[in-house]
Structures are given as structure tokens and as C-alpha cells.
Amino acid sequence: MNILIVGPSWVGDMVMAQTLFACLRARHGPDCQIDVLAPEWSRPILERMPEVRQALSFPLGHGALELATRRRIGKGLAGQYDQAIALPNSLKSALVPFFAGIPRRTGWRGEMRYGLLNDLRTLDKARYPLMIERFMALAYPSGAALPEPYPRPALQIEADSRDAALARFDLTLDRPVLALCPGAEFGESKRWPSEHYAAVADEKIRQGWQVWIFGSKKDHPVGEDIRQRLIPGLREESVNLSGETSLAEAIDLLSCASAVVSNDSGLMHVAAALDRPLVAVYGSTSPGFTPPLASSVETLQLGLECSPCFDRTCRFGHYNCLRDLRPGLVVAALDRLVGEPLADPQDS
């Protein structure tokens, strides 16, 4: 079987899509060849998935129709695949497989895709409450039971690539690493306050850890705010990598973390796929749909009457679901995940 996947447009969704790839391999055997058509930014994720033969760069941005370009891409892929699976529910995502003439074109019923997809499924949200279940179900005939236990995303790291990233940013592993991921592309209602992140960083640095802050370029000011809240002497044990690393470097460096604290974000799913001990803080969203999938995870949320609201900004303006989730809860969760606090190496 040669299968083309039309991939999702978000980091977390792309990580979770690995569960589908694993199911396809389990069903069709190791000779099943999986190519993923996705935005170029996703290549570092896909290259770290052993199930994927190749990442095919998709040149169009999120939301762009550009019918002629999609037709050209589809014609260029004609005759190469037995099946296509479109993970986004948009009409646009079904066009390339249609133009490629792929015999079986599978996906959930979404934006008027009748005819474009010929293996069209109707989603039962009660049967498949998790996003990974909705991905995995597309690997099997409609209505088939999903195999248990569910596969988990598992990104593979090359030592040479990791060591090159450490060298580029002059990072060492002489102290255990606490990775902080304070950004969230979705909006402010997913962002735990920077002063809370700083309080956790303060506590762990005093216990002998170092702190690496990850995120995109737009998260860099938040990372600087966290660092500036640390007193001199502790601040020097932190580094703000937000906007400085490529996604490939961020993945490789996250693999070095002894523990991670993250908002509900794409990097949360990356950390889980690297099987790092992880504390995930939830505000406006819920782990009931897209939980981090790893062996050592704690998700924290207050469960206020107004949450989860899934709004990008707080309709009441107070963000209490995040502000009232105190740093001590996260520190306690970290201590449960990684054992007793470490003594300062300088004391030994």
C-alpha cells in the first residue's frame, strides 16, 4: 500500500497524527509506504517519525484556495498512491487527492466534500471523543473497533543533531533541565501567567536545576519577562530560546529536558512525544479532547464554572482559570513526576 496523507496545519495535530501512521503500518504491514503532504514547517516533525517515508512540502498557506496550484500538485502525484487520507475537514484539503486521481480518498464528512472523497465517513463524536481516535479510525474500515492499547506519538532523536543544537546555543547538561513552554498560538486564554512560570523557575533553580524557555518569535518577550523576574544569581541559570531556534532544534533540545511545564500548545505535544515528564496547564481548553500522550504526565486545571469555554480571550476579562492556578500546584506536580528535589550540585 502506498498512502498519501494530507496533513493538518498545526504542530500539535501533526504530532498526534503519528497515531494514524502507526495504525496504517499495523494494518498493512511494514511495506506500507506513507507520504505526508503538509506545510514545509512540519518537515522536522515528520522526519522524526519512522513511519513516514517522506514529507512532501505543500507551498500554500493556511486558508489559501489557489485551485490551479492544487491541480498542478495533484497531477504531479498521479499514479503513485492507492489511498489518500485527508485529515483536515476542509474542502480544500480534498482537492489534491481528487486531482491526483487516487482510487480511494478517505476522510470525515466536512465542508461539502461529496465526490472529492469517495470513502466519506460520518463522525460520531461520542464514539470518538479524542482527536487521536478520529485520526486512527481513518486507518480502518468504517465502524471497525480501534485496537488497544492506543499507539502514542514517539519522535526519534538523532544524537548528532541534538549535540549540534546544544553546541550552537552553548548549552550544557551539567544541571537537570526544566523546559518552560509559555506560549500558545491559540490565544491569551491558554497562557499561564509569566509570573507563575517565573515562580516555578525560581524554585527549581534553587533546587539545582537550569531553565530553558521555548517558543516562537512572538513568545520571546514572554520568555524575557520570565527571566527578568528572576533575581541575579538565579537568572544566569536560565536561557530564553524562544524565536532563536528552528523547530528542529527546539525538538532536539526539548529531548534533553528532565521535565517540562507547558501550556496547552503544540510544544506540549512535542514534549509528550519525546516522553519527557510533563506538567500541562489548562485554562480555557480541556485535556478531554487533545491530552498529552506520554507515560509521565500531569494535567492541571481548576475546573471553574466558566471553563472550559474554548474562547481565545476571556469573556469576563479576569482569566481566573489560569491566574488562580498557583505555581505551588505545578511545583508539587513536578516533584511527583521527577522524585525528590535535587540538591544544588555546588553543595556536593
Side-chain angles (χ1 to χ4, degrees):
M1 285 287 289
N2 291 322
I3 300 175
L4 177 70
I5 307 292
V6 181
S9 299
W10 301 98
V11 171
D13 293 356
M14 187 64 77
V15 172
M16 289 185 285
Q18 192 178 10
T19 58
L20 165 64
F21 310 155
C23 288
L24 289 170
R25 276 290 189 89
R27 182 184 177 197
H28 298 295
D31 291 335
C32 174
Q33 302 298 321
I34 299 170
D35 294 344
V36 182
L37 182 66
E40 178 62 23
W41 62 257
S42 66
R43 183 176 297 275
I45 297 174
L46 295 168
E47 287 177 342
R48 287 159 175 77
M49 295 179 176
E51 301 87 355
V52 175
R53 177 175 63 178
Q54 62 178 334
L56 304 176
S57 181
F58 189 64
L60 301 181
H62 183 63
L65 178 58
E66 296 197 35
L67 197 62
T69 302
R70 293 178 191 272
R71 180 183 290 110
R72 176 177 55 79
I73 294 171
K75 295 298 184 183
L77 297 174
Q80 299 182 39
Y81 299 100
D82 305 295
Q83 182 182 12
I85 300 175
L87 293 185
N89 289 329
S90 64
L91 180 146
K92 296 184 293 293
S93 67
L95 289 171
V96 168
F98 175 77
F99 288 134
I102 297 173
R104 185 178 179 190
R105 304 184 298 277
T106 302
W108 296 110
R109 189 173 62 190
E111 296 177 346
M112 297 301 293
R113 305 201 285 183
Y114 302 99
L116 296 178
L117 299 180
N118 56 15
D119 178 20
L120 198 62
R121 315 285 182 87
T122 300
L123 176 62
D124 181 346
K125 293 182 179 181
R127 182 177 184 183
Y128 303 126
L130 297 176
M131 178 172 282
I132 62 162
E133 293 172 328
R134 300 174 188 184
F135 287 166
M136 292 165 58
L138 297 177
Y140 301 99
S142 182
L146 299 182
E148 295 186 0
Y150 292 168
R152 289 174 175 164
L155 301 179
Q156 293 190 348
I157 301 299
E158 296 289 338
D160 289 348
S161 178
R162 179 201 62 207
D163 292 345
L166 287 168
R168 182 183 170 216
F169 294 98
D170 196 24
L171 298 170
T172 62
L173 301 177
D174 56 333
R175 288 170 168 243
V177 175
L178 175 65
L180 303 181
C181 304
E185 198 70 26
F186 179 80
E188 196 66 28
S189 65
K190 276 190 176 184
R191 295 192 183 103
W192 201 43
S194 57
E195 60 266 29
H196 291 355
Y197 273 105
V200 174
D202 180 288
E203 178 70 20
K204 300 309 287 183
I205 291 172
R206 290 178 188 274
Q207 292 177 6
W209 292 55
Q210 59 179 314
V211 170
W212 300 352
I213 304 170
F214 292 87
S216 66
K217 191 163 188 170
K218 67 174 64 173
D219 301 320
H220 192 84
V222 175
E224 284 304 295
D225 186 33
I226 292 170
R227 291 191 71 243
Q228 292 307 312
R229 292 173 184 273
L230 299 171
I231 64 171
L234 300 184
R235 189 180 303 149
E236 289 72 16
E237 295 299 333
S238 67
V239 59
N240 182 12
L241 299 167
S242 302
E244 303 295 329
T245 68
S246 65
L247 179 57
E249 290 166 335
I251 295 170
D252 290 342
L253 293 175
L254 267 174
S255 74
C256 300
S258 303
V260 181
V261 178
S262 179
N263 300 331
D264 175 16
S265 67
L267 286 179
M268 175 192 77
H269 290 287
V270 170
L274 295 168
D275 204 24
R276 298 297 82 207
L278 170 66
V279 179
V281 179
Y282 282 79
S284 67
T285 56
S286 167
F289 179 46
T290 55
L293 303 168
S295 60
S296 184
V297 173
E298 285 207 29
T299 59
L300 299 178
Q301 60 182 155
L302 292 180
L304 303 183
E305 185 178 355
C306 57
S307 68
C309 65
F310 297 97
D311 292 339
R312 292 179 181 270
T313 57
C314 178
R315 66 187 72 175
F316 304 110
H318 53 56
Y319 297 94
N320 285 348
C321 60
L322 293 165
R323 295 188 185 280
D324 291 348
L325 203 160
R326 307 307 298 173
L329 294 173
V330 171
V331 172
L334 284 171
D335 289 344
R336 288 191 294 271
L337 290 176
V338 296
E340 290 299 315
L342 295 167
D344 192 317
Q346 296 178 359
D347 296 338
S348 58

